[in-house]
Amino acid sequence: MSLIEDFLTQFGFSQELIEGVFAKPGATMPAIFLAGGYNVNEYYKMTGVPAYEIVRNARHLIKSQMNLQYKFKVDLLTCLVDLNIMSESFGAKLYYDHDVLPMPNKPAIESLDDIDQLEIPDPHKDGRMPVIIEAAKLYKEKYKAKSSLIYGGYIEGPITASSNILGVENFMRGLVTNPDLIHKLLDKVTTALIEFGNAQLEAGADAIGIAEPTASSTCISPDFFKEFAFPYLKKINRKLNTPGTLIHICGHTQPIIKQWIKIPNTFIISVDEVDLTKTLETIGNKFIIVAGNISPITLLRETPETIELITKDIINEVGNHGKFVLCPGCDLAPGTPEENIMAFLNAGRKYGKFPI
Ligand SMILES: [Zn+2]
């Protein structure tokens, strides 16, 4: 077994998945999901348990995630809920709804001058962090032995979490007007994110995904990525007690791929709006898996026939390159028709047999 296969086995990759990652003849191109909002909404529709209760109750939360796995038989599940976990733990207020994930309502601080008021939260006590940790524990105790999936815990990326703590507008302004204080904030938040990620790993998560959409080139320039995102993502990946992470950055990311793949211990990049051929070329011989990049809007709005064609095009574009998994570019939107999700997965099975 090669070192890389050994490394993937450590995460719980099945032999079938490993062969798919290496594009071995007879294997199939793997397909995975990032799904949180979709699961919570589906679980609400199925059980009547409101979304605000699902996201605050580990038992409901893990069931909502596992239902997706039972239904679609995906191999990797990211227990992605919403991207306000860290900001809420720092004191931000959210708006909780009955059918969808909570949304930001009031940031934890109004100004960078208040940064010293921020206390680093305790992952076992503050906000909904204990719920996410408990969900990882329930996965390990109740589901792990019975399923072949890889359960990824998750944390927000430092830019995404910090911008929700300070408010996105204030954060973006601060990048230009007060970079020193922004670094101070990012440093504090990074410490909290590492503790939260390690607590999930300790509780039973097989791996960690980092969701960092606010660091995309849709939101900040590649230079700002270099100064404000890269060093903190690097620190997180080094300090998490896992050999590698999945980093998800949706939106436009072509200008930062080169930097992104230099973040140590990054083993899956989950991409959205990129040119796959260029991205795979940039990665070259490095062992980094690309997950992408069917738009969740396409999955929500298009017909199964169109989705089949788009998925087929992606498979043909990537061909026998390997180190690629089919994946929506972001969290599946609530209400995405089941037949569309099946069209995506079935197209993977139909056209993704190697050699392509
Ligand atoms: Zn996303």
Side-chain angles (χ1 to χ4, degrees):
M1 189 183 275
S2 78
L3 269 177
I4 292 168
E5 283 182 51
D6 197 25
F7 169 81
L8 294 176
T9 309
Q10 272 184 53
F11 284 106
F13 273 61
S14 63
Q15 197 51 35
E16 196 186 341
L17 204 53
I18 293 176
E19 288 177 6
V21 165
F22 285 100
K24 291 200 176 150
T28 305
M29 192 178 278
I32 64 168
F33 280 163
L34 303 174
Y38 172 83
N39 305 350
V40 168
N41 179 254
E42 287 297 304
Y43 189 77
Y44 158 70
K45 288 191 283 193
M46 197 173 75
T47 63
V49 178
Y52 52 76
E53 203 175 315
I54 302 168
V55 298
R56 286 172 168 140
N57 178 307
R59 206 168 43 84
H60 286 310
L61 186 62
I62 191 72
K63 273 193 189 167
S64 77
Q65 305 286 329
M66 293 308 294
N67 278 343
L68 179 104
Q69 211 268 334
Y70 294 145
K71 205 169 183 180
F72 299 112
K73 313 266 179 283
V74 284
D75 294 315
L76 189 142
L77 193 67
T78 301
C79 187
L80 182 78
V81 192
D82 53 272
L83 302 184
N84 307 293
I85 303 283
M86 192 47 71
S87 58
E88 187 182 37
S89 307
F90 268 97
K93 298 279 176 273
L94 307 182
Y95 175 72
Y96 280 89
D97 215 331
H98 70 288
D99 57 348
V100 289
L101 294 175
M103 300 289 285
N105 187 1
K106 195 172 177 288
I109 49 171
E110 302 282 350
S111 150
L112 276 168
D113 299 331
D114 300 331
I115 197 168
D116 290 329
Q117 291 173 16
L118 292 173
E119 272 180 43
I120 293 178
D122 180 338
H124 295 287
K125 284 188 187 148
D126 294 316
R128 282 177 291 140
M129 287 195 285
V131 176
I132 308 292
I133 294 167
E134 178 72 15
K137 195 166 160 237
L138 286 175
Y139 158 73
K140 188 182 173 187
E141 288 169 2
K142 288 190 156 186
Y143 301 98
K144 188 171 174 155
K146 288 184 275 181
S147 70
S148 60
L149 88 160
I150 301 152
Y151 178 82
Y154 87 106
I155 56 174
E156 293 130 48
I159 299 277
T160 304
S162 299
S163 64
N164 283 337
I165 289 169
L166 179 60
V168 179
E169 260 189 65
N170 275 343
F171 182 84
M172 293 299 166
R173 210 172 291 128
L175 291 173
V176 180
T177 59
N178 216 331
D180 291 347
L181 284 180
I182 290 284
H183 277 297
K184 199 173 167 187
L185 174 63
L186 285 165
D187 203 49
K188 243 182 198 188
V189 172
T190 297
T191 303
L193 289 168
I194 293 165
E195 285 176 11
F196 180 38
N198 279 335
Q200 290 177 67
L201 287 165
E202 210 172 293
D206 297 316
I208 291 288
I210 303 172
E212 183 63 313
T214 317
S216 78
S217 309
T218 309
C219 302
I220 63 171
S221 73
D223 285 345
F224 277 0
F225 184 91
K226 190 175 178 189
E227 178 175 352
F228 297 102
F230 185 89
Y232 300 98
L233 285 167
K234 179 173 159 184
K235 187 170 178 189
I236 288 172
N237 268 9
R238 285 206 163 135
K239 300 263 177 177
L240 284 176
N241 298 324
T242 175
T245 63
L246 172 152
I247 301 182
H248 166 74
I249 310 180
C250 49
H252 180 46
T253 52
Q254 200 76 54
I256 55 168
I257 297 284
K258 262 191 193 155
Q259 297 188 55
W260 188 356
I261 61 171
K262 280 189 192 141
I263 299 167
N265 305 342
T266 301
F267 98 104
I268 302 183
I269 63 168
S270 154
V271 297
D272 182 19
E273 296 168 22
V274 299
D275 178 323
L276 288 175
T277 305
K278 266 195 208 162
T279 303
L280 291 166
E281 256 173 42
T282 308
I283 293 172
N285 290 331
K286 237 182 154 114
F287 185 78
I288 290 182
I289 300 168
V290 176
N293 60 346
I294 296 159
S295 154
I297 304 293
T298 302
L299 288 170
L300 177 68
R301 301 216 176 116
E302 293 294 346
T303 61
E305 293 73 27
T306 307
I307 290 163
E308 179 174 344
L309 285 176
I310 293 173
T311 311
K312 190 182 171 190
D313 280 349
I314 292 180
I315 293 168
N316 286 336
E317 183 179 353
V318 174
N320 300 309
H321 186 281
K323 299 190 290 179
F324 180 80
V325 298
L326 290 163
C327 183
C330 190
D331 186 10
L332 285 181
T336 300
E338 201 176 314
E339 58 268 29
N340 287 4
I341 300 174
M342 287 313 297
F344 154 70
L345 291 173
N346 287 337
R349 289 168 194 142
K350 190 170 162 189
Y351 304 108
K353 267 247 177 309
F354 295 111
I356 285 156

